[in-house]
Amino acid sequence: MAYQHQGQQARKPIDRNFLWQIFQKVDKDRSNAITADELQQALSNGSWTPFNPETVRLMIGMFDRNYSGTISFEEFGSLWQYVNDWQETFRSYDRDGSGAIDKNELKAALTSFGYRLSDPFYNILIKKFDRSGHGQIRFDDFIQCCVVIQTLTAAFRNQDTDQDGWITMTYEQFLTLVFSLRA
């Protein structure tokens, strides 16, 4: 993932026995696969509210290598590391420790990731990803926001052959591009 903040150190390998214990707790139906519902119930965004189902769907889609709609134990290891990395990143930008990031904190995070966006665009992001209506984005919505921006950026860059920040396309090409994305 392209979202490593400055100073992030190489990660230690995760103890497979520890990971297996967590996997078994999440796999409530003992199917040896984690469904979106099971994953949503297991994840915490730090606010005692359910994890955003759309974020859970995105993460399942990112780590479901065999397109089964579920996460196997091997896939779970990657997902576990992904969520932990995001949690560390989120905490580093949640400067007031509120469990949510405001527009300025979001701007600091995305700027550190290499994005240069306008203040009006940050207002749009807050409005789009703030499910609580308090002008802040919780952890799960932060993941979704960053994944969507990264996915759209990658799709744009694929079309921007001369890398000048401009593309020309028809309306149908635009729709095809957007609807073919996995985000």
Side-chain angles (χ1 to χ4, degrees):
M1 193 69 211
Y3 301 116
Q4 291 186 339
H5 63 278
Q6 297 282 332
Q8 187 173 4
Q9 299 176 2
R11 35 180 125 129
K12 294 188 320 189
I14 300 171
D15 179 328
R16 287 181 62 83
N17 291 329
F18 171 75
L19 199 57
W20 178 247
Q21 290 173 1
I22 294 170
F23 182 85
Q24 287 182 310
K25 287 179 183 175
V26 175
D27 182 20
K28 300 283 188 206
D29 65 2
R30 300 286 180 243
S31 64
N32 286 324
I34 295 174
T35 65
D37 287 340
E38 289 170 329
L39 184 60
Q40 183 184 19
Q41 291 173 17
L43 292 172
S44 170
N45 66 15
S47 65
W48 303 104
T49 58
F51 218 76
N52 183 336
E54 183 60 21
T55 305
V56 172
R57 185 193 66 77
L58 277 172
M59 290 190 308
I60 293 264
M62 291 171 65
F63 292 96
D64 178 16
R65 305 286 183 243
N66 62 358
Y67 304 104
S68 65
T70 61
I71 298 294
S72 69
F73 176 65
E74 293 303 320
E75 294 164 338
F76 181 71
S78 298
L79 183 128
W80 176 263
Q81 188 63 58
Y82 180 80
V83 170
N84 282 327
D85 289 348
W86 273 116
Q87 193 169 45
E88 183 180 319
T89 300
F90 181 82
R91 285 181 181 150
S92 73
Y93 291 103
D94 179 16
R95 293 190 179 109
D96 61 2
S98 66
I101 59 173
D102 63 21
K103 180 177 127 178
N104 292 329
E105 292 165 328
L106 178 63
K107 184 176 183 177
L110 293 180
T111 299
S112 77
F113 299 158
Y115 295 102
R116 303 293 176 257
L117 306 166
S118 68
D119 277 346
F121 187 75
Y122 283 105
N123 292 335
I124 292 169
L125 289 177
I126 292 291
K127 187 173 184 173
K128 171 76 176 162
F129 293 101
D130 171 21
R131 290 184 299 141
S132 67
H134 294 102
Q136 300 176 323
I137 299 176
R138 299 242 171 245
F139 173 58
D140 52 343
D141 298 317
F142 175 72
I143 293 173
Q144 183 184 2
C145 175
C146 292
V147 168
V148 167
I149 288 174
Q150 190 276 331
T151 302
L152 292 171
T153 299
F156 184 90
R157 283 187 178 149
N158 284 338
Q159 300 295 315
D160 185 13
T161 54
D162 59 0
Q163 300 298 299
D164 68 353
W166 290 87
I167 61 174
T168 302
M169 62 177 42
T170 66
Y171 179 61
E172 187 170 340
Q173 287 171 323
F174 168 74
L175 290 176
T176 301
L177 174 70
V178 170
F179 286 121
S180 64
L181 297 175
R182 267 194 106 180

